Amino acid sequence: MTNQTVSDLVARSNRLGADRKNTNYAGGNTSAKGREQDPVTAQDVELMWVKGSGGDLGTLTEKGLTVLRLDRLRALIDVYPGLNREDEMVAAFDYCLHGKGGAAPSIDTAMHGLVDAGHVDHLHPDSGIALATAADGEALTKEIFGDTVVWVPWRRPGFQLGLDIAAIKEANPQTIGCILGGHGITAWGDTSEECERNSLHIIDTAATYLAEHSKPEPFGPVLDEYAALAEDERRARAAALAPTLRAIASHDRPMVGHYTDSDVVLDFLARAEHPRLAALGTSCPDHFLRTKVKPLVLDLPPTASLEEATARLAELHDAYRADYQAYYDRNATADSPAIRGADPLIILVPGVGMFSYGKDKQTARVAGEFYVNAINVMRGAEGLSTYTPIDEAEKFRIEYWALEEAKLQRMPAPKPLATRIALVTGAASGIGKAIAHRLAAEGACVVVADLSLEKAQAAAAEIGSSDVAVGIVADVSDEAAVQAAVDATVLAFGGLDLVVNNAGLSLSKSLLETTTADWDLQHNVMARGSFLVSRAAAKVLIDQQLGGDIVYISSKNSVFAGPNNIAYSATKADQAHQVRLLAAELGEHGVRVNGINPDGVVRGSGIFAGGWGAKRAAVYGVKEEELGAYYAQRTLLKREVLPEHVANAVFALCSSDMSHTTGVHIPVDAGVAAAFLR
């Protein structure tokens, strides 16, 4: 049975982490001390349970805790080699572990273990960091809390900081916690309830003081020309800029993006002091590790032309890269890790919003959340004093910390389609749905587009959270709807890399039965629709400068002549030639265009379920439920083709193994000799 101390710790952690006013995502850690029987000696031992490295308090479970022997942890004081070698102590924590399993020890383990209190919380609340980054934060701490909360000057997280806080608590037994300069807060208590109460007291008292004493306009007056655009204009401008911004963020390596136009961001960018404050960068280690030391800020009003904004962004990007390289060169030592790239992770566009970037959607989204935290911190510090983050040398020591580098090196290898953003049309069922699932399984972010928004969203929800897949409505035969779908894609994930033209339908009729309406409907959806989607997507792919893939789900019927199928087969032939034409045109931009020719995909198919199956079964003189088996028997391999087989081919075409292939069609028909490509 789980130790009650552990249950209480997890519950406290979840409560604190669930409210972002208390700490940012994956920020801070909590601990509890207690006794448990050693399974070897059968003697009670004193243990500490502490949130391990990398977890999030709001979703913490017992598996995310590190369990250590307190006697061994505290014995490390006797072998501590000093500040210049304190990083060695992290490896020593492994020799203090109790039991098996559990999370890797955090760098903050010493803070929790050395402080003489049964329960300890270390958190990153905006209100607390506002005091921690104020020029006169120490005086403010004294004014606000008296002698119950103590100021601790900035020190990089580690063993020495744990010793410092332990000494401060011992010298000040009346204290309930401390403000850590440039960093956050730490609170303690004899019981879990007392510790949580003390944490919330520090957070809420600081927030109340900020609200009551802050000057009216901490960020200065509004710059009218930098005011936010109306929502529709703002999002249209964001979609138009997104490909260029992703190209900037992905110069060194491809990134996924996230767009934020919250009131907090828009107000900050409309104020006179935003250029000065943005240039100062963030302060809390959790912040700048996610956001880089500072953002790139477009210094033009939103009324500037798109061409002017794009040109200026290119200049600012060059300047940002040069500045970051200089920052690295100024601070790097012989044993510093290699530079990890000089592109911004946060790009601020006045009147429009914030674009944040990362190796996946969650990382990009969280980076944006952290910069919102940073804006809140700057507002609080400027409202009472002057925002004064830690200096760049200290930021560099953390950003290029050997321990941080080791953590990065331990991360699992990315999946084959990691950082790639896919738009799949007609993806709420059948082949399109299977493709969306496969691309997501291989690491891509996927936009499921379909005529039915409800079905598209349901299909996306099957794949995963909105960090992985989103569903949108799209009528591919409508030019405005197609542009809206592409805009929705770049706003959801920052860009677009992989387009699958899958939307389709079929009406099985002879030449004399086929009406002009039948002909127009099928050509509008498949021939016209594929053209519209490819054209809108190509603009994004070209502007991003990252290459990309366009895949057409054509058909065996694009090359095979069969009865009662003129409209469908003719439009599939149109799609097949679009592949060749676009491959020839887009190759210079690194965009590959390929096609897949399926046949006989009956199970799970929206087309076959919509009446096409019954009509084809009638043509071939078989029962509808036997149509898949019939198609299988007429193939060379005698195998039924499923939607997943088409999805496999899409993945193969878009993988790095096919990086030098464009303009081809791959049959996925189990072998139909009459449809062999010539």
Side-chain angles (χ1 to χ4, degrees):
M1 181 178 293
T2 299
N3 189 311
Q4 187 61 46
T5 301
V6 176
S7 298
D8 291 344
L9 172 61
V10 170
R12 177 175 102 234
S13 303
N14 294 163
R15 286 192 297 271
L16 289 170
D19 190 340
R20 289 294 176 237
K21 80 174 175 62
N22 298 328
T23 199
N24 43 254
Y25 175 81
N29 28 63
T30 52
S31 67
K33 302 177 182 74
R35 304 189 70 83
E36 204 168 72
Q37 189 180 79
D38 187 314
V40 175
T41 66
Q43 301 296 313
D44 275 0
V45 290
E46 194 174 5
L47 302 176
M48 180 178 74
W49 295 265
V50 59
K51 193 204 85 169
S53 178
D56 175 55
L57 289 175
T59 55
L60 182 69
T61 65
E62 186 173 348
K63 291 181 180 179
L65 296 172
T66 304
V67 189
L68 304 102
R69 286 274 299 261
L70 263 180
D71 57 346
R72 296 181 66 83
L73 178 63
R74 288 173 173 166
L76 292 178
I77 296 173
D78 298 330
V79 297
Y80 175 47
L83 187 59
N84 291 336
R85 293 173 53 194
E86 72 167 339
D87 287 359
E88 298 172 21
M89 303 306 288
V90 175
F93 293 153
D94 290 341
Y95 295 94
C96 305
L97 297 175
H98 176 78
K100 59 183 181 179
S106 160
I107 187 64
D108 289 317
T109 297
M111 180 194 304
H112 292 267
L114 302 183
V115 169
D116 184 19
H119 302 262
V120 178
D121 294 335
H122 168 57
L123 304 169
H124 300 151
D126 293 347
S127 62
I129 304 175
L131 299 182
T133 56
D136 50 354
E138 183 173 5
L140 285 167
T141 300
K142 181 70 173 176
E143 179 180 339
I144 297 169
F145 297 103
D147 63 355
T148 62
V149 176
V150 181
W151 173 265
V152 178
W154 161 259
R155 186 183 292 283
R156 188 175 64 160
F159 201 83
Q160 186 61 54
L161 180 60
L163 288 171
D164 292 350
I165 297 175
I168 287 171
K169 182 183 183 302
E170 184 177 6
N172 299 274
Q174 78 284 358
T175 58
I176 64 169
C178 53
I179 301 292
L180 307 179
H183 188 165
I185 74 164
T186 297
W188 45 76
D190 292 333
T191 66
S192 185
E193 294 79 7
E194 183 183 26
C195 184
E196 183 176 0
R197 186 165 62 248
N198 289 341
S199 292
L200 294 175
H201 173 74
I202 296 173
I203 294 166
D204 295 340
T205 300
T208 299
Y209 189 90
L210 287 165
E212 293 176 351
H213 295 82
S214 179
K215 58 189 177 187
E217 294 186 319
F219 294 149
V222 170
L223 302 171
D224 290 337
E225 66 273 24
Y226 280 67
L229 297 172
E231 184 176 5
D232 289 348
E233 293 180 81
R234 186 166 72 238
R235 296 185 71 81
R237 179 79 163 189
L241 285 171
T244 296
L245 299 179
R246 189 175 183 222
I248 288 172
S250 302
H251 183 275
D252 289 318
R253 61 183 62 87
M255 292 283 181
V256 176
H258 177 72
Y259 169 61
T260 306
D261 61 347
S262 66
D263 291 342
V264 171
V265 172
L266 293 172
D267 178 70
F268 174 65
L269 294 176
R271 299 283 177 169
E273 295 299 322
H274 83 264
R276 174 182 66 85
L277 292 167
L280 290 173
T282 54
S283 185
C284 176
D286 264 21
H287 291 183
F288 60 76
L289 282 173
R290 304 271 189 160
T291 66
K292 261 199 170 80
V293 287
K294 61 184 177 181
L296 184 154
V297 185
L298 178 59
D299 53 1
L300 292 176
T303 52
S305 70
L306 190 62
E307 293 73 20
E308 185 181 1
T310 301
R312 182 57 180 154
L313 282 164
E315 295 172 350
L316 291 169
H317 184 215
D318 289 342
Y320 187 98
R321 289 180 60 81
D323 182 66
Y324 189 85
Q325 183 68 57
Y327 154 78
Y328 179 86
D329 294 341
R330 280 193 303 274
N331 295 286
T333 60
D335 56 353
S336 292
I339 191 170
R340 299 193 194 103
D343 298 322
L345 294 178
I346 303 290
I347 301 178
L348 303 174
V349 183
V352 177
M354 171 175 62
F355 298 79
S356 51
Y357 296 91
K359 63 184 178 64
D360 52 37
K361 171 66 175 186
Q362 184 194 52
T363 305
R365 175 177 53 77
V366 170
E369 291 174 2
F370 274 68
Y371 200 78
V372 169
N373 290 134
I375 292 173
N376 292 335
V377 166
M378 288 186 277
R379 181 190 300 105
E382 287 284 306
L384 298 180
S385 176
T386 302
Y387 174 62
T388 310
I390 61 175
D391 65 36
E392 75 161 36
E394 288 298 303
K395 291 181 182 180
F396 184 88
R397 288 183 68 214
I398 290 181
E399 186 177 0
Y400 285 92
W401 200 353
L403 296 176
E404 186 65 27
E405 182 69 14
K407 185 189 297 185
L408 293 173
Q409 295 301 323
R410 289 195 301 268
M411 297 185 72
K415 293 183 178 181
L417 298 183
T419 75
R420 304 203 71 192
I421 300 158
L423 170 63
V424 186
T425 65
S429 63
I431 291 173
K433 186 175 182 179
I435 292 169
H437 274 264
R438 180 62 193 274
L439 296 179
E442 300 295 346
C445 299
V446 180
V447 175
V448 175
D450 203 87
L451 267 178
S452 167
L453 177 60
E454 182 180 2
K455 291 179 180 178
Q457 291 176 334
E462 287 181 26
I463 295 172
S465 73
S466 58
D467 285 338
V468 177
V470 296
I472 64 171
V473 65
D475 177 355
V476 297
S477 68
D478 182 281
E479 184 174 5
V482 166
Q483 187 60 56
V486 171
D487 288 351
T489 300
V490 300
L491 290 181
F493 295 114
L496 178 60
D497 303 291
L498 199 167
V499 179
V500 182
N501 280 310
N502 171 74
L505 77 160
S506 184
L507 303 173
S508 177
K509 293 184 179 181
S510 68
L511 170 64
L512 298 182
E513 293 174 316
T514 301
T515 66
T516 55
D518 296 332
W519 178 274
D520 290 343
L521 175 60
Q522 293 179 88
H523 278 72
N524 283 343
V525 171
M526 290 176 284
R528 172 186 165 91
S530 296
F531 153 70
L532 290 174
V533 171
S534 296
R535 186 181 65 175
K539 176 67 166 63
V540 175
L541 297 176
I542 292 169
D543 288 349
Q544 286 178 160
Q545 304 172 44
L546 296 172
D549 286 276
I550 300 176
V551 179
Y552 280 66
I553 306 302
S554 185
S555 169
K556 171 264 297 183
N557 287 35
S558 66
V559 294
F560 174 82
N564 302 326
N565 212 9
I566 183 170
Y568 179 80
S569 297
T571 195
K572 285 299 180 182
D574 185 313
Q575 284 186 308
H577 199 47
Q578 284 187 38
V579 167
R580 293 182 280 269
L581 293 167
L582 296 188
E585 183 172 339
L586 298 177
E588 66 177 292
H589 302 290
V591 178
R592 300 179 296 166
V593 187
N594 294 295
I596 294 173
N597 290 348
D599 182 51
V601 185
V602 178
R603 277 195 269 173
S605 167
I607 288 179
F608 278 91
W612 169 255
K615 292 179 180 178
R616 298 317 292 170
V619 168
Y620 298 121
V622 298
K623 295 179 180 178
E624 184 177 359
E625 61 270 21
E626 298 172 356
L627 188 58
Y630 170 82
Y631 281 140
Q633 289 308 306
R634 74 181 188 182
T635 69
L636 300 176
L637 298 176
K638 303 295 188 284
R639 297 173 183 169
E640 185 175 356
V641 181
L642 302 176
E644 290 73 20
H645 300 137
V646 183
N648 294 343
V650 172
F651 167 63
L653 278 174
C654 298
S655 72
S656 59
D657 291 342
M658 301 287 276
S659 63
H660 289 59
T661 299
T662 192
V664 305
H665 285 80
I666 296 180
V668 183
D669 57 11
V672 178
F676 282 174
L677 298 173
R678 294 170 178 82

PDB file of all heavy atoms in Angstrom, residues 340-363:
ATOM      1  N   ARG A 340      23.811  25.486 -30.062  1.00  0.00           N
ATOM      2  CA  ARG A 340      22.672  24.657 -30.454  1.00  0.00           C
ATOM      3  C   ARG A 340      21.807  25.304 -31.520  1.00  0.00           C
ATOM      4  O   ARG A 340      20.697  24.858 -31.773  1.00  0.00           O
ATOM      5  CB  ARG A 340      21.808  24.344 -29.225  1.00  0.00           C
ATOM      6  CG  ARG A 340      22.536  23.576 -28.138  1.00  0.00           C
ATOM      7  CD  ARG A 340      21.562  23.034 -27.103  1.00  0.00           C
ATOM      8  NE  ARG A 340      22.276  22.590 -25.916  1.00  0.00           N
ATOM      9  CZ  ARG A 340      22.351  23.256 -24.785  1.00  0.00           C
ATOM     10  NH1 ARG A 340      21.722  24.418 -24.675  1.00  0.00           N
ATOM     11  NH2 ARG A 340      23.027  22.787 -23.771  1.00  0.00           N
ATOM     12  N   GLY A 341      22.290  26.315 -32.154  1.00  0.00           N
ATOM     13  CA  GLY A 341      21.495  27.023 -33.144  1.00  0.00           C
ATOM     14  C   GLY A 341      21.276  28.450 -32.716  1.00  0.00           C
ATOM     15  O   GLY A 341      21.156  28.743 -31.524  1.00  0.00           O
ATOM     16  N   ALA A 342      21.230  29.340 -33.695  1.00  0.00           N
ATOM     17  CA  ALA A 342      21.160  30.773 -33.398  1.00  0.00           C
ATOM     18  C   ALA A 342      19.837  31.401 -33.805  1.00  0.00           C
ATOM     19  O   ALA A 342      19.733  32.620 -33.902  1.00  0.00           O
ATOM     20  CB  ALA A 342      22.314  31.496 -34.105  1.00  0.00           C
ATOM     21  N   ASP A 343      18.822  30.588 -34.037  1.00  0.00           N
ATOM     22  CA  ASP A 343      17.517  31.122 -34.433  1.00  0.00           C
ATOM     23  C   ASP A 343      16.659  31.408 -33.205  1.00  0.00           C
ATOM     24  O   ASP A 343      16.789  30.746 -32.175  1.00  0.00           O
ATOM     25  CB  ASP A 343      16.784  30.129 -35.338  1.00  0.00           C
ATOM     26  CG  ASP A 343      17.529  29.853 -36.619  1.00  0.00           C
ATOM     27  OD1 ASP A 343      18.117  30.800 -37.174  1.00  0.00           O
ATOM     28  OD2 ASP A 343      17.539  28.688 -37.066  1.00  0.00           O
ATOM     29  N   PRO A 344      15.737  32.366 -33.313  1.00  0.00           N
ATOM     30  CA  PRO A 344      14.849  32.656 -32.177  1.00  0.00           C
ATOM     31  C   PRO A 344      13.822  31.556 -31.966  1.00  0.00           C
ATOM     32  O   PRO A 344      13.405  30.876 -32.909  1.00  0.00           O
ATOM     33  CB  PRO A 344      14.175  33.967 -32.593  1.00  0.00           C
ATOM     34  CG  PRO A 344      14.172  33.919 -34.095  1.00  0.00           C
ATOM     35  CD  PRO A 344      15.459  33.236 -34.475  1.00  0.00           C
ATOM     36  N   LEU A 345      13.413  31.385 -30.719  1.00  0.00           N
ATOM     37  CA  LEU A 345      12.313  30.481 -30.386  1.00  0.00           C
ATOM     38  C   LEU A 345      11.019  31.243 -30.139  1.00  0.00           C
ATOM     39  O   LEU A 345       9.940  30.646 -30.141  1.00  0.00           O
ATOM     40  CB  LEU A 345      12.659  29.651 -29.151  1.00  0.00           C
ATOM     41  CG  LEU A 345      13.817  28.661 -29.315  1.00  0.00           C
ATOM     42  CD1 LEU A 345      14.083  27.934 -28.005  1.00  0.00           C
ATOM     43  CD2 LEU A 345      13.534  27.672 -30.426  1.00  0.00           C
ATOM     44  N   ILE A 346      11.136  32.547 -29.916  1.00  0.00           N
ATOM     45  CA  ILE A 346       9.970  33.417 -29.735  1.00  0.00           C
ATOM     46  C   ILE A 346      10.091  34.568 -30.728  1.00  0.00           C
ATOM     47  O   ILE A 346      11.116  35.246 -30.772  1.00  0.00           O
ATOM     48  CB  ILE A 346       9.896  33.996 -28.310  1.00  0.00           C
ATOM     49  CG1 ILE A 346       9.869  32.876 -27.259  1.00  0.00           C
ATOM     50  CG2 ILE A 346       8.687  34.921 -28.157  1.00  0.00           C
ATOM     51  CD1 ILE A 346       8.599  32.070 -27.231  1.00  0.00           C
ATOM     52  N   ILE A 347       9.048  34.781 -31.522  1.00  0.00           N
ATOM     53  CA  ILE A 347       9.004  35.914 -32.452  1.00  0.00           C
ATOM     54  C   ILE A 347       7.753  36.720 -32.132  1.00  0.00           C
ATOM     55  O   ILE A 347       6.635  36.190 -32.128  1.00  0.00           O
ATOM     56  CB  ILE A 347       8.993  35.461 -33.918  1.00  0.00           C
ATOM     57  CG1 ILE A 347      10.247  34.624 -34.226  1.00  0.00           C
ATOM     58  CG2 ILE A 347       8.925  36.672 -34.860  1.00  0.00           C
ATOM     59  CD1 ILE A 347      10.298  34.087 -35.651  1.00  0.00           C
ATOM     60  N   LEU A 348       7.943  37.999 -31.836  1.00  0.00           N
ATOM     61  CA  LEU A 348       6.851  38.882 -31.445  1.00  0.00           C
ATOM     62  C   LEU A 348       6.524  39.838 -32.583  1.00  0.00           C
ATOM     63  O   LEU A 348       7.419  40.502 -33.122  1.00  0.00           O
ATOM     64  CB  LEU A 348       7.242  39.676 -30.198  1.00  0.00           C
ATOM     65  CG  LEU A 348       7.635  38.845 -28.970  1.00  0.00           C
ATOM     66  CD1 LEU A 348       8.132  39.754 -27.851  1.00  0.00           C
ATOM     67  CD2 LEU A 348       6.465  37.997 -28.490  1.00  0.00           C
ATOM     68  N   VAL A 349       5.245  39.904 -32.939  1.00  0.00           N
ATOM     69  CA  VAL A 349       4.786  40.753 -34.038  1.00  0.00           C
ATOM     70  C   VAL A 349       3.713  41.690 -33.505  1.00  0.00           C
ATOM     71  O   VAL A 349       2.578  41.264 -33.250  1.00  0.00           O
ATOM     72  CB  VAL A 349       4.228  39.910 -35.208  1.00  0.00           C
ATOM     73  CG1 VAL A 349       3.815  40.818 -36.365  1.00  0.00           C
ATOM     74  CG2 VAL A 349       5.256  38.884 -35.675  1.00  0.00           C
ATOM     75  N   PRO A 350       4.035  42.962 -33.292  1.00  0.00           N
ATOM     76  CA  PRO A 350       3.053  43.902 -32.745  1.00  0.00           C
ATOM     77  C   PRO A 350       1.762  43.925 -33.557  1.00  0.00           C
ATOM     78  O   PRO A 350       1.778  43.883 -34.794  1.00  0.00           O
ATOM     79  CB  PRO A 350       3.784  45.247 -32.827  1.00  0.00           C
ATOM     80  CG  PRO A 350       5.227  44.894 -32.741  1.00  0.00           C
ATOM     81  CD  PRO A 350       5.355  43.601 -33.498  1.00  0.00           C
ATOM     82  N   GLY A 351       0.649  44.003 -32.836  1.00  0.00           N
ATOM     83  CA  GLY A 351      -0.658  44.045 -33.484  1.00  0.00           C
ATOM     84  C   GLY A 351      -1.166  42.696 -33.928  1.00  0.00           C
ATOM     85  O   GLY A 351      -2.341  42.545 -34.280  1.00  0.00           O
ATOM     86  N   VAL A 352      -0.285  41.681 -33.920  1.00  0.00           N
ATOM     87  CA  VAL A 352      -0.640  40.353 -34.436  1.00  0.00           C
ATOM     88  C   VAL A 352      -0.520  39.292 -33.356  1.00  0.00           C
ATOM     89  O   VAL A 352      -1.429  38.494 -33.152  1.00  0.00           O
ATOM     90  CB  VAL A 352       0.242  39.992 -35.651  1.00  0.00           C
ATOM     91  CG1 VAL A 352      -0.071  38.574 -36.143  1.00  0.00           C
ATOM     92  CG2 VAL A 352       0.031  41.001 -36.778  1.00  0.00           C
ATOM     93  N   GLY A 353       0.618  39.244 -32.650  1.00  0.00           N
ATOM     94  CA  GLY A 353       0.756  38.273 -31.576  1.00  0.00           C
ATOM     95  C   GLY A 353       2.138  37.675 -31.488  1.00  0.00           C
ATOM     96  O   GLY A 353       3.123  38.251 -31.958  1.00  0.00           O
ATOM     97  N   MET A 354       2.185  36.492 -30.901  1.00  0.00           N
ATOM     98  CA  MET A 354       3.446  35.807 -30.629  1.00  0.00           C
ATOM     99  C   MET A 354       3.480  34.455 -31.327  1.00  0.00           C
ATOM    100  O   MET A 354       2.508  33.700 -31.307  1.00  0.00           O
ATOM    101  CB  MET A 354       3.607  35.597 -29.121  1.00  0.00           C
ATOM    102  CG  MET A 354       4.777  34.713 -28.726  1.00  0.00           C
ATOM    103  SD  MET A 354       5.013  34.625 -26.928  1.00  0.00           S
ATOM    104  CE  MET A 354       3.460  33.897 -26.400  1.00  0.00           C
ATOM    105  N   PHE A 355       4.628  34.134 -31.913  1.00  0.00           N
ATOM    106  CA  PHE A 355       4.871  32.837 -32.524  1.00  0.00           C
ATOM    107  C   PHE A 355       6.000  32.175 -31.737  1.00  0.00           C
ATOM    108  O   PHE A 355       7.077  32.756 -31.586  1.00  0.00           O
ATOM    109  CB  PHE A 355       5.265  32.985 -33.988  1.00  0.00           C
ATOM    110  CG  PHE A 355       4.195  33.615 -34.840  1.00  0.00           C
ATOM    111  CD1 PHE A 355       3.993  34.990 -34.825  1.00  0.00           C
ATOM    112  CD2 PHE A 355       3.374  32.837 -35.641  1.00  0.00           C
ATOM    113  CE1 PHE A 355       3.003  35.584 -35.602  1.00  0.00           C
ATOM    114  CE2 PHE A 355       2.378  33.417 -36.417  1.00  0.00           C
ATOM    115  CZ  PHE A 355       2.188  34.792 -36.396  1.00  0.00           C
ATOM    116  N   SER A 356       5.744  30.993 -31.219  1.00  0.00           N
ATOM    117  CA  SER A 356       6.756  30.275 -30.446  1.00  0.00           C
ATOM    118  C   SER A 356       7.055  28.957 -31.148  1.00  0.00           C
ATOM    119  O   SER A 356       6.201  28.392 -31.832  1.00  0.00           O
ATOM    120  CB  SER A 356       6.274  30.034 -29.014  1.00  0.00           C
ATOM    121  OG  SER A 356       4.987  29.439 -28.990  1.00  0.00           O
ATOM    122  N   TYR A 357       8.278  28.447 -30.938  1.00  0.00           N
ATOM    123  CA  TYR A 357       8.735  27.293 -31.722  1.00  0.00           C
ATOM    124  C   TYR A 357       9.418  26.259 -30.842  1.00  0.00           C
ATOM    125  O   TYR A 357       9.994  26.576 -29.796  1.00  0.00           O
ATOM    126  CB  TYR A 357       9.687  27.763 -32.829  1.00  0.00           C
ATOM    127  CG  TYR A 357       8.994  28.659 -33.821  1.00  0.00           C
ATOM    128  CD1 TYR A 357       8.977  30.032 -33.641  1.00  0.00           C
ATOM    129  CD2 TYR A 357       8.300  28.122 -34.898  1.00  0.00           C
ATOM    130  CE1 TYR A 357       8.303  30.862 -34.531  1.00  0.00           C
ATOM    131  CE2 TYR A 357       7.619  28.942 -35.784  1.00  0.00           C
ATOM    132  CZ  TYR A 357       7.616  30.310 -35.596  1.00  0.00           C
ATOM    133  OH  TYR A 357       6.939  31.120 -36.465  1.00  0.00           O
ATOM    134  N   GLY A 358       9.349  25.006 -31.296  1.00  0.00           N
ATOM    135  CA  GLY A 358       9.992  23.914 -30.581  1.00  0.00           C
ATOM    136  C   GLY A 358      10.069  22.679 -31.443  1.00  0.00           C
ATOM    137  O   GLY A 358       9.603  22.661 -32.590  1.00  0.00           O
ATOM    138  N   LYS A 359      10.613  21.611 -30.869  1.00  0.00           N
ATOM    139  CA  LYS A 359      10.808  20.370 -31.624  1.00  0.00           C
ATOM    140  C   LYS A 359       9.501  19.641 -31.886  1.00  0.00           C
ATOM    141  O   LYS A 359       9.439  18.736 -32.726  1.00  0.00           O
ATOM    142  CB  LYS A 359      11.768  19.453 -30.876  1.00  0.00           C
ATOM    143  CG  LYS A 359      11.262  18.994 -29.522  1.00  0.00           C
ATOM    144  CD  LYS A 359      12.304  18.155 -28.787  1.00  0.00           C
ATOM    145  CE  LYS A 359      11.815  17.726 -27.405  1.00  0.00           C
ATOM    146  NZ  LYS A 359      10.648  16.840 -27.461  1.00  0.00           N
ATOM    147  N   ASP A 360       8.461  20.001 -31.169  1.00  0.00           N
ATOM    148  CA  ASP A 360       7.125  19.470 -31.410  1.00  0.00           C
ATOM    149  C   ASP A 360       6.116  20.516 -30.955  1.00  0.00           C
ATOM    150  O   ASP A 360       6.486  21.565 -30.427  1.00  0.00           O
ATOM    151  CB  ASP A 360       6.902  18.121 -30.704  1.00  0.00           C
ATOM    152  CG  ASP A 360       7.246  18.165 -29.214  1.00  0.00           C
ATOM    153  OD1 ASP A 360       6.984  19.200 -28.564  1.00  0.00           O
ATOM    154  OD2 ASP A 360       7.781  17.172 -28.698  1.00  0.00           O
ATOM    155  N   LYS A 361       4.855  20.225 -31.171  1.00  0.00           N
ATOM    156  CA  LYS A 361       3.831  21.221 -30.864  1.00  0.00           C
ATOM    157  C   LYS A 361       3.771  21.533 -29.371  1.00  0.00           C
ATOM    158  O   LYS A 361       3.639  22.697 -28.973  1.00  0.00           O
ATOM    159  CB  LYS A 361       2.466  20.716 -31.353  1.00  0.00           C
ATOM    160  CG  LYS A 361       1.270  21.553 -30.912  1.00  0.00           C
ATOM    161  CD  LYS A 361       1.265  22.946 -31.513  1.00  0.00           C
ATOM    162  CE  LYS A 361      -0.012  23.682 -31.124  1.00  0.00           C
ATOM    163  NZ  LYS A 361      -0.140  24.976 -31.795  1.00  0.00           N
ATOM    164  N   GLN A 362       3.873  20.503 -28.541  1.00  0.00           N
ATOM    165  CA  GLN A 362       3.801  20.764 -27.103  1.00  0.00           C
ATOM    166  C   GLN A 362       4.941  21.675 -26.661  1.00  0.00           C
ATOM    167  O   GLN A 362       4.739  22.628 -25.900  1.00  0.00           O
ATOM    168  CB  GLN A 362       3.854  19.463 -26.306  1.00  0.00           C
ATOM    169  CG  GLN A 362       3.689  19.701 -24.800  1.00  0.00           C
ATOM    170  CD  GLN A 362       4.059  18.506 -23.969  1.00  0.00           C
ATOM    171  OE1 GLN A 362       5.144  17.941 -24.120  1.00  0.00           O
ATOM    172  NE2 GLN A 362       3.163  18.104 -23.075  1.00  0.00           N
ATOM    173  N   THR A 363       6.142  21.404 -27.135  1.00  0.00           N
ATOM    174  CA  THR A 363       7.291  22.226 -26.770  1.00  0.00           C
ATOM    175  C   THR A 363       7.101  23.660 -27.242  1.00  0.00           C
ATOM    176  O   THR A 363       7.416  24.617 -26.528  1.00  0.00           O
ATOM    177  CB  THR A 363       8.579  21.635 -27.361  1.00  0.00           C
ATOM    178  OG1 THR A 363       8.702  20.270 -26.949  1.00  0.00           O
ATOM    179  CG2 THR A 363       9.803  22.412 -26.906  1.00  0.00           C
TER     180      THR A 363
END
